[in-house]
Amino acid sequence: MTILITGGTGKTGTALARRLQRENIPVLLASRSGKAVESFKTVTFDWTDAATFGNPFQAASDIKGVYILTPSAALGIVDHVKTFISLARSRGVKRFVLLSASMIEAGQSELGQIHQCLIDSGVEYAVLRPTWFQQNFGVTYLTSIRDQNSTFSATEDGRIPFVSTEDIAEAAYQGLTAEPSLNKDLLIVGPELFSHDEAAKLFSTILGREITHKRLTIEELKNIYLNFAIRGEHAGRLAEADSFIANHSEEDIFNSSADKKFVGKHTLEEYIRHNRERWISTK
Ligand SMILES: NC(=O)c1ccc[n+]([C@@H]2O[C@H](COP(=O)([O-])OP(=O)(O)OC[C@H]3O[C@@H](n4cnc5c(N)ncnc54)[C@H](OP(=O)(O)O)[C@@H]3O)[C@@H](O)[C@H]2O)c1
């Protein structure tokens, strides 16, 4: 049995591949580049190009489970993903695990429509709805922490149970292998809540220099995302997500009942200590 990991060269995909490898479960990593990751088998695959959808099944004849990761900025791909799910089922795939997000309910926006499609089609499935990744501090905030000693958000005093991509991979592993299949969505949270002010204080302690959190308006944040070359509509949606956090959306998720969530083990402190060098300028 092979597990196909779409977005396999990314953060959660690579962590999931390592987790499955520990159980001797073969994996096939799919991405547009098809670039090599460690010793894993890879294949080229593009959610926006249906001509690539048969590639994984040529590369492995026994794919039984698929981790569906659609790129966050991709809009207008729901029909493509549905087409792929039908093809995969016709090639013997039994189970799908979708990476969605804490703020997206079934049926809402693009990821929620894919979530709804899994429910309606009667396949074995799990939908992972993680809160914000700890790893964002090494991507979105990497240069601002390293070069300007600051983070930024419009989350005000809202707190977030930042989750590790390794814990998301663990939840994905369970969703792909649990018997019987989970057939539900799970909120994926880290073990502790932090406001952005508190996270900046933790950075200050670990890096040994003062890191501050700049409090922005939604419009200021949107402009920063636009400067990152994130497309307009997506930049707006990402920035608006901070207003939900300011209104305690992620604290409510953290406090939701145990049967609705998967609580990761890895702490934000562990993540920062382990990656400390990344935020130290070599200039
Ligand atoms: N960051 C957060 O706080 C957060 C919170 C909740 C949910 N999420 C969700 O997490 C997802 C990102 O997960 P991640 O961090 O593991 O990913 P990632 O590290 O950003 O990697 C993205 C992966 O997708 C591949 N990819 C990009 N465009 C593609 C396309 N058109 N067709 C096929 N593959 C494509 C990339 O490889 P190539 O470029 O070579 O194709 C790469 O393997 C997003 O859907 C986001 O909405 C993120």
Side-chain angles (χ1 to χ4, degrees):
M1 148 176 127
T2 294
I3 301 290
L4 171 65
I5 304 179
T6 66
T9 59
K11 294 182 286 300
T12 60
T14 304
L16 174 59
R18 292 183 189 128
R19 180 66 186 88
L20 288 160
Q21 188 181 46
R22 290 216 304 273
E23 308 300 325
N24 294 318
I25 298 174
V27 299
L28 176 62
L29 310 190
S31 66
R32 287 169 306 177
S33 67
K35 77 173 182 195
V37 176
E38 299 163 19
S39 59
F40 298 113
K41 196 170 167 183
T42 59
V43 66
T44 55
F45 178 89
D46 187 341
W47 284 115
T48 66
D49 179 5
T52 65
F53 289 0
N55 294 354
F57 304 100
Q58 281 164 13
S61 57
D62 62 343
I63 299 172
K64 293 286 177 268
V66 177
Y67 178 64
I68 302 178
L69 184 151
T70 59
S72 46
L75 300 170
I77 61 164
V78 175
D79 288 340
H80 282 283
V81 179
K82 287 182 178 173
T83 301
F84 178 74
I85 290 170
S86 296
L87 173 71
R89 293 180 72 189
S90 73
R91 300 295 177 95
V93 175
K94 297 274 177 260
R95 189 167 302 182
F96 298 85
V97 169
L98 170 68
L99 182 64
S100 182
S102 59
M103 290 185 179
I104 303 177
E105 301 279 351
Q108 282 178 352
S109 80
E110 300 232 333
L111 277 166
Q113 287 172 40
I114 301 166
H115 178 168
Q116 190 64 49
C117 163
L118 292 176
I119 295 172
D120 295 342
S121 60
V123 292
E124 295 181 354
Y125 79 96
V127 174
L128 310 181
R129 296 175 54 203
T131 185
W132 301 86
F133 297 1
Q134 293 172 3
Q135 281 70 11
N136 294 347
F137 289 102
V139 182
T140 317
Y141 310 114
L142 174 65
T143 54
S144 70
I145 295 174
R146 190 187 61 203
D147 303 334
Q148 291 145 31
N149 294 322
S150 60
T151 60
F152 54 86
S153 83
T155 54
E156 301 176 13
D157 290 320
R159 301 174 90 206
I160 303 171
F162 291 103
V163 66
S164 161
T165 49
E166 284 178 25
D167 285 324
I168 297 168
E170 178 61 32
Y173 166 74
Q174 293 184 16
L176 285 159
T177 58
E179 293 297 346
S181 173
L182 300 178
N183 292 353
K184 65 176 185 176
D185 62 287
L186 275 177
L187 296 160
I188 318 288
V189 297
E192 300 162 308
L193 286 164
F194 285 89
S195 67
H196 266 280
D197 284 355
E198 291 165 338
K201 274 195 191 127
L202 187 58
F203 267 95
S204 304
T205 304
I206 297 171
L207 300 185
R209 63 183 204 267
E210 192 180 4
I211 307 296
T212 55
H213 167 227
K214 286 188 191 161
R215 292 178 171 231
L216 305 180
T217 64
I218 301 293
E219 203 50 35
E220 287 168 336
L221 184 61
K222 181 179 170 186
N223 287 333
I224 288 184
Y225 288 143
L226 289 173
N227 284 335
F228 285 173
I230 296 176
R231 276 204 317 231
E233 188 182 338
H234 186 57
R237 287 203 313 212
L238 262 184
E240 274 160 28
D242 274 23
S243 65
F244 295 108
I245 297 170
N247 285 318
H248 312 292
S249 64
E250 302 310 282
E251 286 160 68
D252 292 345
I253 282 163
F254 185 70
N255 293 321
S256 60
S257 63
D259 60 322
K260 290 191 173 155
K261 68 187 176 190
F262 175 99
V263 184
K265 294 189 173 70
H266 295 285
T267 64
L268 183 60
E269 177 168 355
E270 257 176 83
Y271 167 71
I272 303 171
R273 287 196 188 283
H274 189 71
N275 294 282
R276 190 176 176 276
E277 299 306 314
R278 302 189 66 167
W279 299 286
I280 296 176
S281 175
T282 51
K283 274 188 241 160

Short mmCIF file of all heavy atoms in Angstrom, two decimals, residues 225-277:
data_model
loop_
_atom_site.label_atom_id
_atom_site.label_comp_id
_atom_site.label_asym_id
_atom_site.label_seq_id
_atom_site.Cartn_x
_atom_site.Cartn_y
_atom_site.Cartn_z
N TYR A 225 1.09 41.80 3.06
CA TYR A 225 0.93 40.56 2.29
C TYR A 225 1.02 40.85 0.78
O TYR A 225 1.60 40.06 0.04
CB TYR A 225 -0.39 39.87 2.62
CG TYR A 225 -0.42 39.22 4.01
CD1 TYR A 225 -1.58 39.23 4.78
CD2 TYR A 225 0.71 38.60 4.53
CE1 TYR A 225 -1.61 38.63 6.03
CE2 TYR A 225 0.69 38.01 5.79
CZ TYR A 225 -0.48 38.02 6.54
OH TYR A 225 -0.50 37.43 7.77
N LEU A 226 0.46 41.97 0.35
CA LEU A 226 0.55 42.31 -1.08
C LEU A 226 2.02 42.53 -1.47
O LEU A 226 2.45 42.13 -2.55
CB LEU A 226 -0.28 43.57 -1.39
CG LEU A 226 -1.80 43.37 -1.34
CD1 LEU A 226 -2.51 44.71 -1.49
CD2 LEU A 226 -2.27 42.40 -2.42
N ASN A 227 2.81 43.11 -0.55
CA ASN A 227 4.24 43.30 -0.83
C ASN A 227 4.98 41.97 -0.90
O ASN A 227 6.06 41.88 -1.48
CB ASN A 227 4.90 44.19 0.23
CG ASN A 227 4.54 45.64 0.01
OD1 ASN A 227 4.21 46.03 -1.11
ND2 ASN A 227 4.56 46.44 1.07
N PHE A 228 4.42 40.92 -0.25
CA PHE A 228 5.00 39.58 -0.34
C PHE A 228 4.60 38.92 -1.68
O PHE A 228 4.81 37.72 -1.86
CB PHE A 228 4.47 38.65 0.76
CG PHE A 228 5.02 38.88 2.14
CD1 PHE A 228 4.48 38.20 3.23
CD2 PHE A 228 6.07 39.77 2.38
CE1 PHE A 228 4.98 38.38 4.51
CE2 PHE A 228 6.56 39.95 3.67
CZ PHE A 228 6.01 39.25 4.73
N ALA A 229 3.92 39.66 -2.54
CA ALA A 229 3.45 39.15 -3.84
C ALA A 229 2.34 38.12 -3.67
O ALA A 229 2.18 37.22 -4.50
CB ALA A 229 4.61 38.60 -4.68
N ILE A 230 1.57 38.23 -2.56
CA ILE A 230 0.38 37.39 -2.41
C ILE A 230 -0.75 38.09 -3.16
O ILE A 230 -0.91 39.31 -3.03
CB ILE A 230 0.02 37.21 -0.92
CG1 ILE A 230 1.15 36.44 -0.22
CG2 ILE A 230 -1.30 36.48 -0.75
CD1 ILE A 230 0.95 36.27 1.27
N ARG A 231 -1.50 37.31 -3.94
CA ARG A 231 -2.55 37.92 -4.78
C ARG A 231 -3.62 38.63 -3.93
O ARG A 231 -3.91 38.21 -2.82
CB ARG A 231 -3.24 36.82 -5.59
CG ARG A 231 -2.52 36.47 -6.87
CD ARG A 231 -3.51 35.87 -7.84
NE ARG A 231 -4.39 34.93 -7.20
CZ ARG A 231 -4.61 33.70 -7.64
NH1 ARG A 231 -4.01 33.28 -8.71
NH2 ARG A 231 -5.45 32.89 -7.04
N GLY A 232 -4.20 39.70 -4.51
CA GLY A 232 -5.12 40.59 -3.81
C GLY A 232 -6.18 39.91 -2.98
O GLY A 232 -6.29 40.13 -1.77
N GLU A 233 -6.98 39.03 -3.60
CA GLU A 233 -8.10 38.42 -2.89
C GLU A 233 -7.60 37.58 -1.72
O GLU A 233 -8.14 37.61 -0.61
CB GLU A 233 -8.89 37.53 -3.86
CG GLU A 233 -10.17 37.01 -3.28
CD GLU A 233 -10.90 36.08 -4.26
OE1 GLU A 233 -10.65 36.16 -5.48
OE2 GLU A 233 -11.69 35.27 -3.78
N HIS A 234 -6.52 36.83 -1.95
CA HIS A 234 -5.99 35.97 -0.90
C HIS A 234 -5.36 36.80 0.21
O HIS A 234 -5.52 36.49 1.40
CB HIS A 234 -4.97 34.99 -1.51
CG HIS A 234 -4.49 33.99 -0.51
ND1 HIS A 234 -5.33 33.15 0.18
CD2 HIS A 234 -3.24 33.72 -0.05
CE1 HIS A 234 -4.64 32.41 1.01
NE2 HIS A 234 -3.37 32.73 0.90
N ALA A 235 -4.65 37.89 -0.18
CA ALA A 235 -4.03 38.77 0.82
C ALA A 235 -5.12 39.35 1.73
O ALA A 235 -4.95 39.42 2.95
CB ALA A 235 -3.26 39.89 0.13
N GLY A 236 -6.25 39.73 1.14
CA GLY A 236 -7.36 40.29 1.92
C GLY A 236 -7.92 39.26 2.89
O GLY A 236 -8.16 39.56 4.07
N ARG A 237 -8.09 38.03 2.41
CA ARG A 237 -8.65 36.98 3.28
C ARG A 237 -7.71 36.64 4.42
O ARG A 237 -8.14 36.45 5.55
CB ARG A 237 -8.94 35.71 2.45
CG ARG A 237 -10.14 35.86 1.55
CD ARG A 237 -10.77 34.54 1.15
NE ARG A 237 -9.83 33.54 0.70
CZ ARG A 237 -10.11 32.62 -0.22
NH1 ARG A 237 -11.29 32.60 -0.79
NH2 ARG A 237 -9.24 31.72 -0.56
N LEU A 238 -6.41 36.58 4.10
CA LEU A 238 -5.42 36.26 5.14
C LEU A 238 -5.41 37.35 6.21
O LEU A 238 -5.37 37.04 7.40
CB LEU A 238 -4.03 36.21 4.51
CG LEU A 238 -3.43 34.87 4.13
CD1 LEU A 238 -2.00 35.09 3.63
CD2 LEU A 238 -3.44 33.90 5.29
N ALA A 239 -5.44 38.60 5.76
CA ALA A 239 -5.40 39.71 6.72
C ALA A 239 -6.67 39.70 7.59
O ALA A 239 -6.59 39.88 8.81
CB ALA A 239 -5.24 41.04 5.97
N GLU A 240 -7.80 39.47 6.96
CA GLU A 240 -9.06 39.46 7.73
C GLU A 240 -9.10 38.35 8.76
O GLU A 240 -9.76 38.47 9.80
CB GLU A 240 -10.25 39.32 6.78
CG GLU A 240 -10.70 40.67 6.25
CD GLU A 240 -11.52 40.55 4.98
OE1 GLU A 240 -12.16 39.49 4.81
OE2 GLU A 240 -11.48 41.48 4.17
N ALA A 241 -8.37 37.26 8.49
CA ALA A 241 -8.34 36.16 9.46
C ALA A 241 -7.85 36.66 10.82
O ALA A 241 -8.28 36.18 11.87
CB ALA A 241 -7.43 35.05 8.95
N ASP A 242 -6.97 37.69 10.82
CA ASP A 242 -6.47 38.21 12.10
C ASP A 242 -7.58 38.84 12.95
O ASP A 242 -7.49 38.86 14.17
CB ASP A 242 -5.34 39.23 11.86
CG ASP A 242 -3.99 38.55 11.71
OD1 ASP A 242 -3.97 37.35 11.35
OD2 ASP A 242 -2.95 39.20 11.94
N SER A 243 -8.61 39.36 12.27
CA SER A 243 -9.69 39.97 13.08
C SER A 243 -10.47 38.89 13.82
O SER A 243 -10.95 39.11 14.93
CB SER A 243 -10.61 40.82 12.21
OG SER A 243 -11.28 40.01 11.28
N PHE A 244 -10.57 37.70 13.23
CA PHE A 244 -11.22 36.59 13.95
C PHE A 244 -10.38 36.18 15.17
O PHE A 244 -10.92 35.91 16.24
CB PHE A 244 -11.43 35.38 13.03
CG PHE A 244 -12.38 35.65 11.90
CD1 PHE A 244 -11.93 35.77 10.60
CD2 PHE A 244 -13.74 35.81 12.14
CE1 PHE A 244 -12.80 36.04 9.56
CE2 PHE A 244 -14.63 36.07 11.11
CZ PHE A 244 -14.15 36.19 9.81
N ILE A 245 -9.07 36.14 14.95
CA ILE A 245 -8.18 35.78 16.08
C ILE A 245 -8.32 36.82 17.19
O ILE A 245 -8.41 36.46 18.38
CB ILE A 245 -6.71 35.68 15.61
CG1 ILE A 245 -6.56 34.56 14.57
CG2 ILE A 245 -5.78 35.42 16.81
CD1 ILE A 245 -5.21 34.52 13.86
N ALA A 246 -8.38 38.11 16.79
CA ALA A 246 -8.54 39.18 17.79
C ALA A 246 -9.84 38.97 18.57
O ALA A 246 -9.93 39.31 19.75
CB ALA A 246 -8.55 40.54 17.10
N ASN A 247 -10.83 38.38 17.91
CA ASN A 247 -12.12 38.11 18.57
C ASN A 247 -12.16 36.71 19.19
O ASN A 247 -13.22 36.15 19.40
CB ASN A 247 -13.27 38.29 17.59
CG ASN A 247 -13.52 39.76 17.32
OD1 ASN A 247 -13.50 40.57 18.25
ND2 ASN A 247 -13.70 40.12 16.05
N HIS A 248 -10.98 36.15 19.45
CA HIS A 248 -10.80 34.92 20.25
C HIS A 248 -11.22 33.63 19.54
O HIS A 248 -11.49 32.63 20.20
CB HIS A 248 -11.52 35.04 21.61
CG HIS A 248 -11.20 36.33 22.31
ND1 HIS A 248 -9.93 36.60 22.79
CD2 HIS A 248 -11.95 37.44 22.53
CE1 HIS A 248 -9.93 37.83 23.30
NE2 HIS A 248 -11.13 38.36 23.14
N SER A 249 -11.25 33.64 18.19
CA SER A 249 -11.65 32.41 17.48
C SER A 249 -10.76 31.22 17.83
O SER A 249 -11.24 30.11 18.06
CB SER A 249 -11.59 32.63 15.96
OG SER A 249 -10.25 32.89 15.55
N GLU A 250 -9.44 31.45 17.92
CA GLU A 250 -8.53 30.32 18.13
C GLU A 250 -8.53 29.87 19.60
O GLU A 250 -8.29 28.70 19.88
CB GLU A 250 -7.13 30.65 17.64
CG GLU A 250 -7.07 31.04 16.16
CD GLU A 250 -7.78 30.06 15.22
OE1 GLU A 250 -7.22 29.01 14.91
OE2 GLU A 250 -8.90 30.37 14.77
N GLU A 251 -8.83 30.80 20.52
CA GLU A 251 -8.97 30.38 21.93
C GLU A 251 -10.19 29.47 22.07
O GLU A 251 -10.16 28.48 22.79
CB GLU A 251 -9.13 31.61 22.83
CG GLU A 251 -7.83 32.36 23.02
CD GLU A 251 -8.06 33.79 23.47
OE1 GLU A 251 -8.53 34.00 24.60
OE2 GLU A 251 -7.77 34.70 22.68
N ASP A 252 -11.26 29.82 21.35
CA ASP A 252 -12.48 28.99 21.41
C ASP A 252 -12.18 27.58 20.89
O ASP A 252 -12.66 26.59 21.43
CB ASP A 252 -13.61 29.61 20.58
CG ASP A 252 -14.11 30.92 21.20
OD1 ASP A 252 -13.78 31.16 22.39
OD2 ASP A 252 -14.80 31.69 20.50
N ILE A 253 -11.38 27.53 19.81
CA ILE A 253 -11.02 26.23 19.24
C ILE A 253 -10.20 25.43 20.24
O ILE A 253 -10.42 24.24 20.46
CB ILE A 253 -10.25 26.45 17.91
CG1 ILE A 253 -11.26 26.78 16.83
CG2 ILE A 253 -9.38 25.27 17.53
CD1 ILE A 253 -10.66 27.40 15.61
N PHE A 254 -9.24 26.11 20.88
CA PHE A 254 -8.38 25.44 21.88
C PHE A 254 -9.23 24.87 23.01
O PHE A 254 -8.93 23.81 23.55
CB PHE A 254 -7.38 26.47 22.43
CG PHE A 254 -6.37 25.89 23.37
CD1 PHE A 254 -5.38 25.04 22.91
CD2 PHE A 254 -6.41 26.20 24.73
CE1 PHE A 254 -4.43 24.51 23.77
CE2 PHE A 254 -5.46 25.68 25.59
CZ PHE A 254 -4.48 24.84 25.12
N ASN A 255 -10.31 25.59 23.35
CA ASN A 255 -11.16 25.16 24.47
C ASN A 255 -12.33 24.28 24.03
O ASN A 255 -13.20 23.97 24.83
CB ASN A 255 -11.69 26.40 25.21
CG ASN A 255 -10.55 27.13 25.90
OD1 ASN A 255 -9.65 26.50 26.44
ND2 ASN A 255 -10.56 28.46 25.84
N SER A 256 -12.35 23.86 22.77
CA SER A 256 -13.47 23.02 22.31
C SER A 256 -13.33 21.61 22.88
O SER A 256 -12.28 21.24 23.40
CB SER A 256 -13.54 22.99 20.77
OG SER A 256 -12.35 22.46 20.25
N SER A 257 -14.41 20.81 22.77
CA SER A 257 -14.42 19.52 23.46
C SER A 257 -13.40 18.55 22.85
O SER A 257 -13.04 18.65 21.68
CB SER A 257 -15.82 18.92 23.43
OG SER A 257 -16.19 18.68 22.10
N ALA A 258 -12.94 17.63 23.69
CA ALA A 258 -11.82 16.75 23.34
C ALA A 258 -12.09 15.93 22.07
O ALA A 258 -11.17 15.65 21.31
CB ALA A 258 -11.52 15.81 24.50
N ASP A 259 -13.36 15.56 21.82
CA ASP A 259 -13.63 14.70 20.66
C ASP A 259 -13.54 15.48 19.34
O ASP A 259 -13.54 14.90 18.27
CB ASP A 259 -15.01 14.03 20.78
CG ASP A 259 -16.12 15.06 20.86
OD1 ASP A 259 -15.92 16.11 21.51
OD2 ASP A 259 -17.18 14.83 20.26
N LYS A 260 -13.44 16.80 19.42
CA LYS A 260 -13.39 17.63 18.19
C LYS A 260 -11.97 18.04 17.82
O LYS A 260 -11.77 18.69 16.81
CB LYS A 260 -14.22 18.91 18.39
CG LYS A 260 -15.68 18.64 18.47
CD LYS A 260 -16.43 19.94 18.39
CE LYS A 260 -17.92 19.66 18.29
NZ LYS A 260 -18.73 20.73 18.77
N LYS A 261 -11.01 17.73 18.68
CA LYS A 261 -9.67 18.28 18.41
C LYS A 261 -8.57 17.25 18.64
O LYS A 261 -8.75 16.27 19.38
CB LYS A 261 -9.43 19.54 19.24
CG LYS A 261 -9.33 19.28 20.71
CD LYS A 261 -9.26 20.55 21.53
CE LYS A 261 -9.27 20.17 23.00
NZ LYS A 261 -9.43 21.26 23.91
N PHE A 262 -7.44 17.53 18.00
CA PHE A 262 -6.21 16.77 18.19
C PHE A 262 -5.23 17.77 18.79
O PHE A 262 -4.97 18.82 18.18
CB PHE A 262 -5.73 16.26 16.83
CG PHE A 262 -4.40 15.55 16.87
CD1 PHE A 262 -4.34 14.17 16.91
CD2 PHE A 262 -3.21 16.27 16.88
CE1 PHE A 262 -3.11 13.52 16.95
CE2 PHE A 262 -1.99 15.63 16.91
CZ PHE A 262 -1.94 14.24 16.94
N VAL A 263 -4.71 17.46 19.97
CA VAL A 263 -3.79 18.40 20.63
C VAL A 263 -2.35 17.91 20.44
O VAL A 263 -1.99 16.82 20.89
CB VAL A 263 -4.11 18.53 22.13
CG1 VAL A 263 -3.20 19.59 22.77
CG2 VAL A 263 -5.58 18.89 22.35
N GLY A 264 -1.56 18.73 19.74
CA GLY A 264 -0.17 18.36 19.49
C GLY A 264 0.67 18.44 20.74
O GLY A 264 0.29 19.06 21.74
N LYS A 265 1.86 17.82 20.67
CA LYS A 265 2.76 17.76 21.85
C LYS A 265 3.86 18.82 21.78
O LYS A 265 4.40 19.23 22.78
CB LYS A 265 3.48 16.40 21.86
CG LYS A 265 2.58 15.20 22.09
CD LYS A 265 3.48 13.96 22.31
CE LYS A 265 2.68 12.74 22.71
NZ LYS A 265 1.85 12.21 21.65
N HIS A 266 4.21 19.25 20.57
CA HIS A 266 5.40 20.09 20.43
C HIS A 266 5.09 21.54 20.81
O HIS A 266 4.15 22.15 20.28
CB HIS A 266 5.92 20.03 19.00
CG HIS A 266 6.42 18.66 18.63
ND1 HIS A 266 7.62 18.17 19.09
CD2 HIS A 266 5.87 17.69 17.89
CE1 HIS A 266 7.79 16.94 18.62
NE2 HIS A 266 6.73 16.63 17.90
N THR A 267 5.93 22.12 21.67
CA THR A 267 5.68 23.48 22.15
C THR A 267 6.34 24.52 21.24
O THR A 267 7.30 24.21 20.53
CB THR A 267 6.24 23.68 23.57
OG1 THR A 267 7.66 23.53 23.51
CG2 THR A 267 5.65 22.69 24.56
N LEU A 268 5.84 25.75 21.32
CA LEU A 268 6.44 26.84 20.55
C LEU A 268 7.88 27.07 21.03
O LEU A 268 8.78 27.32 20.22
CB LEU A 268 5.60 28.12 20.73
CG LEU A 268 6.06 29.34 19.93
CD1 LEU A 268 6.05 29.07 18.43
CD2 LEU A 268 5.19 30.55 20.25
N GLU A 269 8.10 26.93 22.33
CA GLU A 269 9.45 27.13 22.86
C GLU A 269 10.43 26.13 22.23
O GLU A 269 11.53 26.50 21.82
CB GLU A 269 9.45 26.99 24.39
CG GLU A 269 10.85 27.12 24.96
CD GLU A 269 10.90 27.27 26.46
OE1 GLU A 269 9.84 27.38 27.10
OE2 GLU A 269 12.03 27.28 26.99
N GLU A 270 10.01 24.86 22.15
CA GLU A 270 10.86 23.83 21.52
C GLU A 270 11.20 24.22 20.09
O GLU A 270 12.34 24.11 19.65
CB GLU A 270 10.02 22.54 21.36
CG GLU A 270 10.24 21.42 22.30
CD GLU A 270 9.20 20.34 21.98
OE1 GLU A 270 9.42 19.52 21.06
OE2 GLU A 270 8.16 20.33 22.67
N TYR A 271 10.18 24.69 19.35
CA TYR A 271 10.38 25.06 17.94
C TYR A 271 11.41 26.20 17.83
O TYR A 271 12.32 26.15 17.01
CB TYR A 271 9.04 25.47 17.30
CG TYR A 271 9.24 26.16 15.97
CD1 TYR A 271 9.67 25.46 14.85
CD2 TYR A 271 9.05 27.54 15.84
CE1 TYR A 271 9.90 26.11 13.64
CE2 TYR A 271 9.28 28.19 14.65
CZ TYR A 271 9.70 27.47 13.55
OH TYR A 271 9.95 28.12 12.36
N ILE A 272 11.26 27.23 18.69
CA ILE A 272 12.17 28.38 18.58
C ILE A 272 13.59 27.97 18.97
O ILE A 272 14.56 28.30 18.29
CB ILE A 272 11.69 29.57 19.45
CG1 ILE A 272 10.27 29.98 19.07
CG2 ILE A 272 12.63 30.77 19.28
CD1 ILE A 272 9.62 31.00 20.02
N ARG A 273 13.71 27.21 20.08
CA ARG A 273 15.05 26.80 20.51
C ARG A 273 15.72 25.95 19.45
O ARG A 273 16.89 26.13 19.14
CB ARG A 273 14.98 26.01 21.84
CG ARG A 273 14.69 26.90 23.03
CD ARG A 273 15.00 26.22 24.37
NE ARG A 273 14.52 27.05 25.46
CZ ARG A 273 15.13 28.16 25.89
NH1 ARG A 273 16.26 28.55 25.36
NH2 ARG A 273 14.60 28.87 26.88
N HIS A 274 14.96 25.03 18.83
CA HIS A 274 15.54 24.11 17.85
C HIS A 274 16.00 24.85 16.59
O HIS A 274 16.96 24.44 15.94
CB HIS A 274 14.47 23.06 17.50
CG HIS A 274 14.99 21.95 16.67
ND1 HIS A 274 15.85 20.99 17.17
CD2 HIS A 274 14.81 21.65 15.37
CE1 HIS A 274 16.17 20.15 16.21
NE2 HIS A 274 15.56 20.52 15.10
N ASN A 275 15.32 25.95 16.26
CA ASN A 275 15.62 26.67 15.00
C ASN A 275 16.27 28.04 15.25
O ASN A 275 16.32 28.87 14.36
CB ASN A 275 14.33 26.86 14.20
CG ASN A 275 13.77 25.54 13.72
OD1 ASN A 275 14.27 24.98 12.76
ND2 ASN A 275 12.78 25.00 14.42
N ARG A 276 16.79 28.23 16.48
CA ARG A 276 17.27 29.54 16.94
C ARG A 276 18.18 30.25 15.93
O ARG A 276 18.03 31.45 15.70
CB ARG A 276 18.03 29.29 18.25
CG ARG A 276 18.42 30.50 19.01
CD ARG A 276 19.09 30.12 20.33
NE ARG A 276 19.55 31.34 20.99
CZ ARG A 276 20.70 31.93 20.73
NH1 ARG A 276 21.52 31.41 19.85
NH2 ARG A 276 21.04 33.04 21.34
N GLU A 277 19.07 29.52 15.29
CA GLU A 277 20.05 30.14 14.38
C GLU A 277 19.38 30.88 13.22
O GLU A 277 19.95 31.79 12.65
CB GLU A 277 21.00 29.06 13.80
CG GLU A 277 21.81 28.31 14.84
CD GLU A 277 22.60 29.24 15.74
OE1 GLU A 277 23.23 30.16 15.20
OE2 GLU A 277 22.54 29.06 16.99
#
